[in-house]
Amino acid sequence: INRYLTSNFDEDIESDLEAIVKRSGTGRVLFSAFHIENSAGDRISTVLTGEDITFVFRMLVKDPTVKDINLGWSLHNRLGNYQAHLFNGFQGYRIVNEGQSGYMQVRCTIRDFPLAPGRLYLKGHVFADGLEADWPRVNLGVFDIEEGDFFGTGKKTICKAPFWMKGEWSYGMQ
């Protein structure tokens, strides 16, 4: 089963995202390329827990009349279960096209990456002016997560929870 799941997800990644056939949408804006960068701007395929990373999407704006772009991504485990999901619109952040066509880079930085070690698959979905523009039915990328210094203590943290968080602690006698 493990080999079946791994092979099905790994084969489902296209290097030329514009060539993806299994997709829906108007095609006014398309996913063209994807990669992940660390805080130094290096391309990476392995993320450390607690590390700042940036998802970098290269988008092809085919229609210069597109004004508002709402780009979303989701992370899935190898069983296909959602692990995280975010659209720029969730945060009230607007991506506005100024009447241009061509390639646009969209960057989304995640501070203190909070998911546990394992392998994740990234999918994408984009809307243009409120209508679905591109929804590839394949993974845009895959990356591994390894234990890092999530809590900033100078050592790796071993935690079995799927989602990690930091607290702000205080104490005092009453």
Side-chain angles (χ1 to χ4, degrees), residues 69-117:
I69 297 172
N70 193 10
L71 187 148
W73 53 263
S74 56
L75 299 177
H76 304 262
N77 64 17
R78 64 182 179 186
L79 297 175
N81 298 322
Y82 274 105
Q83 303 299 299
H85 187 203
L86 184 62
F87 273 89
N88 58 280
F90 290 175
Q91 295 180 273
Y93 184 85
R94 292 189 61 211
I95 299 171
V96 179
N97 183 42
E98 301 289 343
Q100 299 179 355
S101 60
Y103 291 99
M104 169 189 285
Q105 186 179 85
V106 178
R107 302 170 63 85
C108 178
T109 298
I110 307 299
R111 304 272 180 224
D112 302 324
F113 193 79
L115 298 179

Side-chain angles (χ1 to χ4, degrees), residues 23-28 132-135:
R23 65 188 341 143
S24 61
T26 63
R28 295 172 71 202
E132 180 182 277
D134 193 22
W135 187 12

Side-chain angles (χ1 to χ4, degrees), residues 102-157:
Y103 291 99
M104 169 189 285
Q105 186 179 85
V106 178
R107 302 170 63 85
C108 178
T109 298
I110 307 299
R111 304 272 180 224
D112 302 324
F113 193 79
L115 298 179
R119 174 165 280 192
L120 290 179
Y121 301 85
L122 184 135
K123 293 182 178 283
H125 201 175
V126 65
F127 290 82
D129 298 326
L131 298 174
E132 180 182 277
D134 193 22
W135 187 12
R137 301 297 199 230
V138 298
N139 299 309
L140 304 183
V142 60
F143 62 98
D144 293 309
I145 307 165
E146 294 181 357
E147 292 169 348
D149 184 14
F150 179 80
F151 295 102
T153 61
K155 58 185 177 184
K156 290 184 179 181
T157 303

Side-chain angles (χ1 to χ4, degrees), residues 3 7 10 16 19 51 56 88 99 149 153 168:
R3 187 167 22 126
S7 67
D10 287 345
D16 179 8
E51 179 178 33
V56 182
N88 58 280
D149 184 14
T153 61
E168 292 188 22

